[in-house]
Amino acid sequence: MSVTIDIHADDFGESVHASRDILDCLKDGKLNSISVLANMSCFEECVRLYREAQGEFPWQPAISVHVNLMEGSCLSDPKDLPDLVDEKGHFQISWEKLFFFSFLPSRNRFKKQLKKEIELQIKAVAGAFSELNLQELRIDSHQHTHMIPVVAKALFEVLDEQDWKASYIRDAKEPFFVFLKKTSLYKTYRPVNFVKNILLNYCSALLQKRFRNAGMKPMYLWGLIMSGHMDEARIRQLLPDMEKKAEHSGRMLEILFHPGQVLREEISDEFSQEDAIAFHVSPDRSVEKQAVYALDLAQKARKR
């Protein structure tokens, strides 16, 4: 028995340049799946570019709805989302605030607003990509916000109320101790990413029953502790242990890359978080694209 692996790229539709980078990877058969954002101003242009390039893909990638509550413009009427967006309709809520409000009585007010936006974003991606079946949806989110309890509850309620089915919802659960086996790599990890790993593992534990009831197959995600710098050298060192861990646990493994780089001149007021902007334009995204090419894991994953 071998573990099922999915080589995945997030953030198609974030910018035209970032989307072109991802299309390069698709045309060269380096990805199994991509996530699509529907709420950036370049969305229609990126969909057009995808359609033009589609005939060059060696296989059809799986497409996920990349729910975006952190950046971009809402698809809802801004007046319907007073706690989530500013007067221009740009998202201004933080991950931490959504998490905090998940445990307060006011969470239902947030949930109601979240449901409106999540529904519209799913409809937008499904409308643009006819190959995306509303009875076999793949769903994840920008900055993994769908793992936050109040957002997760909103998402599952939307699926139930619309009678949509999901075949895959990313469980952002990343093995922790695999990263501690290679002592030579300790200094290469950003401490803040360990915090993200622990917090998302906590959220995952809260959602396990919901995932099981929805029929989700157990999985691991690889792309949190090394987020922003999924480079070839470290992946080669860690891959055998990561595969072994996933196989031993009976889980599939999604290896998450961000191979699309946003150009500095593409930054507008849609990009509202300064720390996120640095991540979007970072040359490390080119490092991740190079790793996708050098590792060449997507075709091997298809043959398993």
Side-chain angles (χ1 to χ4, degrees):
M1 175 183 172
S2 61
V3 63
T4 299
I5 293 180
D6 179 21
I7 307 302
H8 184 90
D10 267 3
D11 294 351
F12 185 86
E14 186 173 49
S15 81
V16 170
H17 189 272
S19 299
R20 288 186 187 276
D21 280 340
I22 293 171
L23 288 172
D24 289 342
C25 297
L26 288 174
K27 288 187 286 188
D28 290 330
K30 304 302 179 184
L31 298 170
N32 304 121
S33 59
I34 64 170
S35 294
V36 178
L37 301 97
N39 72 320
M40 304 300 285
S41 59
C42 63
F43 176 62
E44 291 184 2
E45 171 69 3
C46 293
V47 172
R48 184 186 66 79
L49 292 172
Y50 183 94
R51 291 293 176 225
E52 290 177 354
Q54 194 171 11
E56 301 179 56
F57 301 165
W59 57 76
Q60 175 63 46
I63 295 175
S64 297
V65 179
H66 200 50
V67 175
N68 187 6
L69 306 170
M70 296 286 98
E71 295 181 302
S73 302
C74 64
L75 301 187
S76 309
D77 185 328
K79 294 178 182 177
D80 292 333
L81 310 182
D83 296 303
L84 304 180
V85 303
D86 61 20
E87 64 280 358
K88 295 181 180 179
H90 296 150
F91 282 101
Q92 52 82 40
I93 192 79
S94 69
W95 204 102
E96 294 80 8
K97 188 174 182 180
L98 279 174
F99 181 80
F100 179 70
F101 276 97
S102 293
F103 303 98
L104 295 182
S106 57
R107 62 184 176 273
N108 287 331
R109 185 180 80 240
F110 280 80
K111 184 187 71 173
K112 182 179 179 180
Q113 297 173 47
L114 290 163
K115 287 173 64 176
K116 286 180 181 292
E117 183 63 19
I118 290 170
E119 178 183 338
L120 289 177
Q121 290 192 19
I122 291 174
K123 285 180 175 177
V125 178
F129 294 87
S130 57
E131 53 269 65
L132 200 157
N133 186 336
L134 287 169
Q135 298 304 311
E136 295 181 356
L137 285 167
R138 287 176 54 104
I139 299 172
D140 50 47
S141 63
H142 203 47
Q143 299 183 27
H144 312 292
T145 50
H146 73 288
M147 299 295 294
I148 300 171
V150 69
V151 182
K153 188 169 179 57
L155 170 61
F156 280 103
E157 286 190 12
V158 167
L159 295 176
D160 287 342
E161 291 170 9
Q162 296 297 320
D163 197 26
W164 296 337
K165 307 294 183 208
S167 63
Y168 187 88
I169 299 176
R170 176 186 289 161
D171 182 0
K173 178 181 177 67
E174 183 178 62
F176 182 86
F177 292 103
V178 170
F179 297 94
L180 302 183
K181 289 185 176 182
K182 303 289 184 182
T183 57
S184 61
L185 297 180
Y186 283 9
K187 292 183 179 180
T188 71
Y189 303 131
R190 295 177 63 211
V192 67
N193 286 347
F194 279 102
V195 175
K196 293 177 183 177
N197 173 288
I198 293 168
L199 185 55
L200 285 165
N201 270 285
Y202 169 74
C203 290
S204 174
L206 297 179
L207 293 174
Q208 285 307 299
K209 183 177 179 180
R210 215 177 267 280
F211 284 141
R212 286 195 303 270
N213 290 344
M216 298 298 105
K217 295 180 180 178
M219 63 162 289
Y220 282 134
L221 177 69
W222 182 6
L224 299 176
I225 286 178
M226 291 168 56
S227 179
H229 199 92
M230 290 282 287
D231 59 291
E232 178 192 358
R234 291 187 299 174
I235 291 173
R236 288 195 186 280
Q237 288 191 62
L238 294 168
L239 184 59
D241 287 332
M242 193 66 76
E243 287 184 297
K244 184 177 179 181
K245 175 65 176 176
E247 184 172 352
H248 178 75
S249 301
R251 294 173 176 266
M252 71 153 289
L253 177 64
E254 178 186 332
I255 306 180
L256 170 61
F257 292 92
H258 293 85
Q261 186 177 16
V262 179
L263 298 180
R264 177 61 66 175
E265 55 265 33
E266 292 180 306
I267 297 296
S268 67
D269 55 3
E270 289 183 299
F271 296 88
S272 56
Q273 300 176 336
E274 286 300 322
D275 55 342
I277 290 173
F279 176 68
H280 299 324
V281 303
S282 170
D284 283 341
R285 290 211 168 196
S286 294
V287 170
E288 297 207 11
K289 184 178 180 182
Q290 291 166 12
V292 167
Y293 271 81
L295 293 162
D296 198 19
L297 295 171
Q299 188 159 349
K300 296 175 186 175
R302 284 176 57 83
K303 292 178 179 178
R304 293 187 178 214

